Amino acid sequence: MLWKIRTELADRPGALAELAARCGADDINILSLEVFTAESGAIDELVISTGVGWTAEDLTALVAEAGCSNTTVRPCQADVLSDAPTRYLRAVLRLIDDPVSVDEELETLQGFEEYTPAEWARADVLVEIAGRLAERYQGSVTEGPRPGSGVPELRRATVEDASAVVDMHERCSYESRTRRYHVPMPKLTARTARHLSAPAGGVSIVATVGDAVIGMATAAPWEELSGTAMEVAVLVEDGWQRQGLGSQLLRRVIQESRYLGADRVVCMVQPENDGMLRTVEGLRMRTRVVQDSGHLMVTVALSDQSLSHAVDRPSVPYRQTRAIPALRSQSARSTGQPSREHTFAGDGAVPALSDRAGAADPDGAHRGGRP
């Protein structure tokens, strides 16, 4: 059976030879080896062949005996034995025919949730190639409804909204997409749109005019932080921004998150995204802002105790979309930089909302972080 192992070798001469000897003692054949450089040191990725009966837990214990740490093991197929340049070139060939499949290509190529700087650079180039191809092949974009053509209605999204979500994404500007996903995200695949419309364990709210989706807010569990935190993000079509729709969507998705048992919601926001920061401030709820590398981690309390979970722990890397790997340096929070806490007026309750967007809100900016 073939396995791919990613591990950090002990920082001493002969560490790789020790790992090879340990594998050889158990009749494990090392078929390929790739070395990455990361902030923590060298990271080795091996493809090995084992006999029947080996498990991921067994292999993790084996490499630990050789002095390795931070090990991830997963089964793999024979195609991983091709050298990295060949695999990436084949991915480019497939993108020429289907540029919107970039997220699936990256998932296949990378394989691990944690990305090294080299993998981040490769993924960044692939996303740029896909974006340029998509722009070249892009046909006419269906024109959406304009402000004044109808009153937006807010409701929970379902997978049936995926096609309309893709259409809205096509109508959004480069700036809006970048602030929503933290990267340009040139195309949204139907698969990703279905995931965003009905996130596992979370909820999405769409704003619609007729059959068209013009805005969307998504909340998904942030398992790395805790089981009671939801990560939220908002995107509103450019023509409908500054109409109060972003505020309506954010309030509604926070309300739904509370119904699902969340005690706080978290937004990852670019520091220059004043619109989203004003929208969060307009909630008039107790909020904590922590500098997290190049982003702001904004935590909104849904209970009296919820901010205490975030105060005494370092900020954590946030999960980006599958199409975009996360490369985060050590955060300012983890190095001791104090957070900025804002306590707004009001009791922190999320008021009941109607299903119609209603009057314009001067704080109604649009764009947020991610899931």
Side-chain angles (χ1 to χ4, degrees):
M1 184 172 180
L2 296 182
W3 301 84
K4 181 179 282 190
I5 300 176
R6 177 168 291 187
T7 189
E8 294 183 20
L9 291 176
D11 187 15
R12 64 173 183 270
L16 182 57
E18 184 177 346
L19 175 59
R22 186 67 186 82
C23 290
D26 283 290
D27 294 325
I28 295 174
N29 189 19
I30 299 177
L31 302 177
S32 71
L33 170 67
E34 187 172 5
V35 181
F36 298 96
T37 301
E39 293 179 359
S40 58
I43 297 177
D44 287 58
E45 185 173 290
L46 304 89
V47 176
I48 64 171
S49 174
T50 68
V52 177
W54 284 88
T55 67
E57 292 75 16
D58 295 334
L59 293 171
T60 300
L62 181 144
V63 297
E65 293 174 3
C68 300
S69 60
N70 298 324
T71 301
T72 304
V73 181
R74 68 172 181 84
C76 62
Q77 303 298 323
D79 57 353
V80 301
L81 295 174
S82 300
D83 62 276
T86 299
R87 288 188 284 116
Y88 277 84
L89 286 173
R90 291 190 182 280
V92 171
L93 286 176
R94 290 189 291 269
L95 288 176
I96 291 175
D97 295 326
D98 184 15
V100 301
S101 66
V102 62
D103 55 347
E104 287 89 349
E105 292 294 343
L106 285 173
E107 184 177 27
T108 300
L109 287 168
Q110 310 290 66
F112 291 101
E113 293 183 0
E114 298 295 328
Y115 286 74
T116 65
E119 288 174 318
W120 167 259
R122 295 171 184 173
D124 190 45
V125 172
L126 273 185
V127 170
E128 183 176 353
I129 290 173
R132 294 188 182 187
L133 289 170
E135 291 176 359
R136 181 176 299 178
Y137 298 151
Q138 185 176 13
S140 59
V141 177
T142 303
E143 184 176 352
R146 297 180 179 180
S149 61
V151 178
E153 296 188 3
L154 272 60
R155 60 171 174 79
R156 292 187 68 153
T158 71
V159 292
E160 301 299 325
D161 294 306
S163 178
V165 169
V166 171
D167 290 341
M168 178 196 68
H169 185 275
E170 295 289 335
R171 296 191 296 267
C172 288
S173 67
Y174 174 94
E175 180 185 13
S176 293
R177 287 185 274 112
T178 300
R179 290 190 172 181
R180 165 59 177 86
Y181 301 103
H182 295 204
V183 290
M185 197 67 169
K187 299 288 287 186
L188 189 69
T189 66
R191 176 182 176 183
T192 301
R194 289 192 295 270
H195 168 74
L196 292 175
S197 299
V203 63
S204 288
I205 304 297
V206 289
T208 63
V209 174
D211 295 331
V213 170
I214 59 171
M216 185 179 194
T218 301
W222 192 336
E223 296 176 357
E224 294 94 331
L225 196 58
S226 85
T228 57
M230 288 276 191
E231 188 176 10
V232 301
V234 181
L235 176 66
V236 173
E237 190 176 322
D238 291 64
W240 289 87
Q241 293 170 14
R242 306 185 187 280
Q243 306 289 319
L245 196 55
S247 295
Q248 291 280 340
L249 285 165
L250 184 58
R251 286 184 179 275
R252 178 65 177 272
V253 82
I254 288 176
Q255 185 181 59
E256 296 288 344
S257 297
R258 174 177 281 170
Y259 292 157
L260 291 175
D263 69 350
R264 64 196 185 280
V265 297
V266 181
C267 305
M268 296 303 300
V269 185
Q270 295 166 325
E272 66 274 15
N273 191 353
D274 294 333
M276 185 60 185
L277 294 174
R278 287 196 302 270
T279 299
V280 174
E281 185 174 357
L283 295 173
R284 314 303 295 173
M285 299 175 68
R286 188 164 175 245
T287 305
R288 174 172 291 272
V289 181
V290 175
Q291 184 76 31
D292 183 28
S293 187
H295 297 77
L296 299 178
M297 177 187 287
V298 182
T299 303
V300 180
L302 303 185
S303 71
D304 292 338
Q305 295 80 28
S306 58
L307 283 186
S308 64
H309 296 286
V311 172
D312 298 324
R313 60 176 297 153
S315 54
V316 296
Y318 69 97
R319 295 166 290 109
Q320 300 203 15
T321 62
R322 289 179 298 105
I324 308 300
L327 173 62
R328 308 298 297 277
S329 60
Q330 186 180 26
S331 69
R333 175 64 173 159
S334 62
T335 56
Q337 178 172 326
S339 63
R340 296 186 291 113
E341 181 175 346
H342 304 277
T343 303
F344 299 119
D347 59 6
V350 180
L353 299 174
S354 69
D355 287 338
R356 304 184 75 85
D361 181 347
D363 292 321
H366 59 292
R367 299 175 288 264
R370 191 206 48 81

Short mmCIF file of all heavy atoms in Angstrom, two decimals, residues 136-167:
data_model
loop_
_atom_site.label_atom_id
_atom_site.label_comp_id
_atom_site.label_asym_id
_atom_site.label_seq_id
_atom_site.Cartn_x
_atom_site.Cartn_y
_atom_site.Cartn_z
N ARG A 136 -10.31 35.11 -20.29
CA ARG A 136 -10.21 34.98 -21.74
C ARG A 136 -11.42 34.25 -22.31
O ARG A 136 -11.91 34.58 -23.40
CB ARG A 136 -8.93 34.22 -22.09
CG ARG A 136 -8.69 34.04 -23.58
CD ARG A 136 -7.35 33.38 -23.83
NE ARG A 136 -6.25 34.19 -23.31
CZ ARG A 136 -4.97 33.81 -23.36
NH1 ARG A 136 -4.65 32.65 -23.90
NH2 ARG A 136 -4.03 34.59 -22.88
N TYR A 137 -11.89 33.23 -21.57
CA TYR A 137 -12.99 32.42 -22.07
C TYR A 137 -14.36 32.92 -21.63
O TYR A 137 -15.38 32.40 -22.06
CB TYR A 137 -12.84 30.97 -21.59
CG TYR A 137 -11.59 30.30 -22.08
CD1 TYR A 137 -10.99 29.29 -21.33
CD2 TYR A 137 -11.00 30.67 -23.28
CE1 TYR A 137 -9.84 28.66 -21.77
CE2 TYR A 137 -9.84 30.05 -23.71
CZ TYR A 137 -9.27 29.05 -22.96
OH TYR A 137 -8.13 28.44 -23.40
N GLN A 138 -14.36 33.92 -20.76
CA GLN A 138 -15.63 34.35 -20.17
C GLN A 138 -16.56 34.93 -21.23
O GLN A 138 -16.19 35.79 -22.01
CB GLN A 138 -15.38 35.41 -19.09
CG GLN A 138 -16.63 35.82 -18.35
CD GLN A 138 -16.30 36.79 -17.23
OE1 GLN A 138 -15.20 37.32 -17.18
NE2 GLN A 138 -17.24 37.03 -16.35
N GLY A 139 -17.75 34.42 -21.25
CA GLY A 139 -18.75 34.95 -22.16
C GLY A 139 -19.49 36.10 -21.51
O GLY A 139 -19.05 36.71 -20.54
N SER A 140 -20.63 36.44 -22.04
CA SER A 140 -21.41 37.53 -21.48
C SER A 140 -21.98 37.12 -20.13
O SER A 140 -22.43 35.99 -19.94
CB SER A 140 -22.55 37.89 -22.43
OG SER A 140 -23.38 36.77 -22.66
N VAL A 141 -21.94 38.04 -19.18
CA VAL A 141 -22.46 37.79 -17.84
C VAL A 141 -23.91 38.25 -17.79
O VAL A 141 -24.25 39.34 -18.24
CB VAL A 141 -21.62 38.55 -16.80
CG1 VAL A 141 -22.22 38.37 -15.41
CG2 VAL A 141 -20.18 38.08 -16.83
N THR A 142 -24.76 37.39 -17.25
CA THR A 142 -26.17 37.73 -17.15
C THR A 142 -26.34 38.94 -16.24
O THR A 142 -25.83 38.97 -15.12
CB THR A 142 -26.96 36.54 -16.57
OG1 THR A 142 -26.75 35.40 -17.40
CG2 THR A 142 -28.44 36.87 -16.50
N GLU A 143 -27.03 39.94 -16.72
CA GLU A 143 -27.24 41.15 -15.94
C GLU A 143 -28.22 40.87 -14.81
O GLU A 143 -29.26 40.25 -15.00
CB GLU A 143 -27.76 42.27 -16.83
CG GLU A 143 -27.91 43.59 -16.10
CD GLU A 143 -28.34 44.72 -17.02
OE1 GLU A 143 -28.37 44.48 -18.25
OE2 GLU A 143 -28.65 45.81 -16.52
N GLY A 144 -27.87 41.32 -13.63
CA GLY A 144 -28.72 41.10 -12.47
C GLY A 144 -29.67 42.26 -12.24
O GLY A 144 -29.61 43.29 -12.91
N PRO A 145 -30.57 42.12 -11.28
CA PRO A 145 -31.51 43.20 -10.97
C PRO A 145 -30.77 44.41 -10.41
O PRO A 145 -29.74 44.27 -9.75
CB PRO A 145 -32.43 42.57 -9.93
CG PRO A 145 -31.63 41.47 -9.32
CD PRO A 145 -30.75 40.95 -10.42
N ARG A 146 -31.30 45.57 -10.65
CA ARG A 146 -30.70 46.81 -10.18
C ARG A 146 -31.48 47.35 -8.99
O ARG A 146 -32.67 47.07 -8.84
CB ARG A 146 -30.66 47.85 -11.30
CG ARG A 146 -29.80 47.42 -12.49
CD ARG A 146 -29.80 48.48 -13.56
NE ARG A 146 -28.96 48.10 -14.70
CZ ARG A 146 -28.77 48.85 -15.77
NH1 ARG A 146 -29.39 50.03 -15.86
NH2 ARG A 146 -28.00 48.42 -16.75
N PRO A 147 -30.81 48.15 -8.14
CA PRO A 147 -31.54 48.76 -7.02
C PRO A 147 -32.75 49.53 -7.52
O PRO A 147 -32.68 50.25 -8.52
CB PRO A 147 -30.49 49.69 -6.41
CG PRO A 147 -29.18 49.06 -6.75
CD PRO A 147 -29.37 48.47 -8.11
N GLY A 148 -33.86 49.35 -6.83
CA GLY A 148 -35.10 49.99 -7.24
C GLY A 148 -35.99 49.09 -8.06
O GLY A 148 -37.18 49.38 -8.24
N SER A 149 -35.42 47.97 -8.56
CA SER A 149 -36.23 47.06 -9.37
C SER A 149 -37.05 46.10 -8.52
O SER A 149 -37.91 45.39 -9.04
CB SER A 149 -35.32 46.26 -10.31
OG SER A 149 -34.40 45.47 -9.57
N GLY A 150 -36.79 46.07 -7.23
CA GLY A 150 -37.52 45.19 -6.33
C GLY A 150 -36.97 45.31 -4.93
O GLY A 150 -35.89 45.87 -4.71
N VAL A 151 -37.72 44.81 -3.96
CA VAL A 151 -37.29 44.84 -2.56
C VAL A 151 -36.60 43.52 -2.23
O VAL A 151 -37.20 42.46 -2.39
CB VAL A 151 -38.48 45.06 -1.61
CG1 VAL A 151 -38.01 45.05 -0.16
CG2 VAL A 151 -39.18 46.37 -1.95
N PRO A 152 -35.35 43.55 -1.79
CA PRO A 152 -34.65 42.30 -1.47
C PRO A 152 -35.34 41.53 -0.34
O PRO A 152 -35.82 42.13 0.62
CB PRO A 152 -33.26 42.77 -1.03
CG PRO A 152 -33.10 44.13 -1.63
CD PRO A 152 -34.47 44.72 -1.63
N GLU A 153 -35.39 40.23 -0.49
CA GLU A 153 -35.92 39.35 0.55
C GLU A 153 -34.79 38.47 1.08
O GLU A 153 -33.98 37.96 0.31
CB GLU A 153 -37.05 38.48 -0.01
CG GLU A 153 -38.26 39.27 -0.47
CD GLU A 153 -39.43 38.37 -0.83
OE1 GLU A 153 -39.28 37.14 -0.66
OE2 GLU A 153 -40.46 38.89 -1.28
N LEU A 154 -34.75 38.31 2.40
CA LEU A 154 -33.73 37.50 3.04
C LEU A 154 -34.33 36.16 3.46
O LEU A 154 -35.42 36.11 4.02
CB LEU A 154 -33.16 38.21 4.27
CG LEU A 154 -31.98 39.16 4.05
CD1 LEU A 154 -32.36 40.29 3.10
CD2 LEU A 154 -31.49 39.72 5.38
N ARG A 155 -33.59 35.09 3.19
CA ARG A 155 -34.04 33.75 3.58
C ARG A 155 -32.83 32.84 3.69
O ARG A 155 -31.73 33.18 3.24
CB ARG A 155 -35.02 33.18 2.55
CG ARG A 155 -34.43 33.04 1.15
CD ARG A 155 -35.35 32.27 0.23
NE ARG A 155 -34.88 32.26 -1.15
CZ ARG A 155 -33.92 31.46 -1.61
NH1 ARG A 155 -33.32 30.60 -0.78
NH2 ARG A 155 -33.55 31.50 -2.88
N ARG A 156 -33.03 31.67 4.30
CA ARG A 156 -31.95 30.69 4.39
C ARG A 156 -31.67 30.11 3.01
O ARG A 156 -32.59 29.84 2.23
CB ARG A 156 -32.33 29.57 5.35
CG ARG A 156 -32.41 30.01 6.80
CD ARG A 156 -32.61 28.86 7.76
NE ARG A 156 -31.44 27.99 7.82
CZ ARG A 156 -31.11 27.25 8.87
NH1 ARG A 156 -31.86 27.28 9.96
NH2 ARG A 156 -30.06 26.47 8.85
N ALA A 157 -30.41 29.93 2.71
CA ALA A 157 -30.01 29.38 1.42
C ALA A 157 -30.07 27.86 1.45
O ALA A 157 -30.01 27.22 2.50
CB ALA A 157 -28.60 29.84 1.07
N THR A 158 -30.19 27.27 0.26
CA THR A 158 -30.12 25.82 0.08
C THR A 158 -29.20 25.54 -1.10
O THR A 158 -28.79 26.46 -1.83
CB THR A 158 -31.51 25.22 -0.20
OG1 THR A 158 -31.94 25.62 -1.52
CG2 THR A 158 -32.54 25.70 0.83
N VAL A 159 -28.90 24.27 -1.33
CA VAL A 159 -28.04 23.91 -2.46
C VAL A 159 -28.69 24.29 -3.78
O VAL A 159 -28.00 24.43 -4.80
CB VAL A 159 -27.70 22.40 -2.44
CG1 VAL A 159 -26.81 22.07 -1.27
CG2 VAL A 159 -28.97 21.56 -2.41
N GLU A 160 -30.00 24.46 -3.79
CA GLU A 160 -30.69 24.86 -5.01
C GLU A 160 -30.32 26.28 -5.43
O GLU A 160 -30.56 26.68 -6.57
CB GLU A 160 -32.21 24.77 -4.81
CG GLU A 160 -32.71 23.38 -4.43
CD GLU A 160 -32.40 22.35 -5.50
OE1 GLU A 160 -32.44 22.71 -6.70
OE2 GLU A 160 -32.10 21.20 -5.15
N ASP A 161 -29.72 27.05 -4.53
CA ASP A 161 -29.32 28.42 -4.85
C ASP A 161 -27.94 28.49 -5.48
O ASP A 161 -27.48 29.58 -5.84
CB ASP A 161 -29.32 29.28 -3.58
CG ASP A 161 -30.70 29.46 -3.00
OD1 ASP A 161 -31.59 29.90 -3.75
OD2 ASP A 161 -30.90 29.16 -1.81
N ALA A 162 -27.25 27.36 -5.63
CA ALA A 162 -25.85 27.37 -6.07
C ALA A 162 -25.68 28.08 -7.41
O ALA A 162 -24.75 28.89 -7.59
CB ALA A 162 -25.31 25.95 -6.14
N SER A 163 -26.55 27.80 -8.37
CA SER A 163 -26.41 28.42 -9.69
C SER A 163 -26.56 29.93 -9.61
O SER A 163 -25.79 30.68 -10.23
CB SER A 163 -27.46 27.83 -10.64
OG SER A 163 -27.38 28.44 -11.91
N ALA A 164 -27.53 30.41 -8.83
CA ALA A 164 -27.73 31.85 -8.69
C ALA A 164 -26.57 32.49 -7.94
O ALA A 164 -26.21 33.65 -8.20
CB ALA A 164 -29.05 32.13 -7.97
N VAL A 165 -25.95 31.76 -7.01
CA VAL A 165 -24.79 32.27 -6.28
C VAL A 165 -23.60 32.43 -7.24
O VAL A 165 -22.87 33.41 -7.18
CB VAL A 165 -24.43 31.34 -5.11
CG1 VAL A 165 -23.08 31.71 -4.51
CG2 VAL A 165 -25.52 31.40 -4.03
N VAL A 166 -23.42 31.45 -8.14
CA VAL A 166 -22.35 31.56 -9.14
C VAL A 166 -22.58 32.79 -10.02
O VAL A 166 -21.65 33.54 -10.32
CB VAL A 166 -22.28 30.28 -10.00
CG1 VAL A 166 -21.34 30.48 -11.18
CG2 VAL A 166 -21.82 29.10 -9.16
N ASP A 167 -23.83 33.01 -10.44
CA ASP A 167 -24.14 34.17 -11.28
C ASP A 167 -23.83 35.48 -10.55
O ASP A 167 -23.29 36.43 -11.14
CB ASP A 167 -25.61 34.14 -11.69
CG ASP A 167 -25.91 33.02 -12.67
OD1 ASP A 167 -24.96 32.51 -13.31
OD2 ASP A 167 -27.10 32.64 -12.80
#
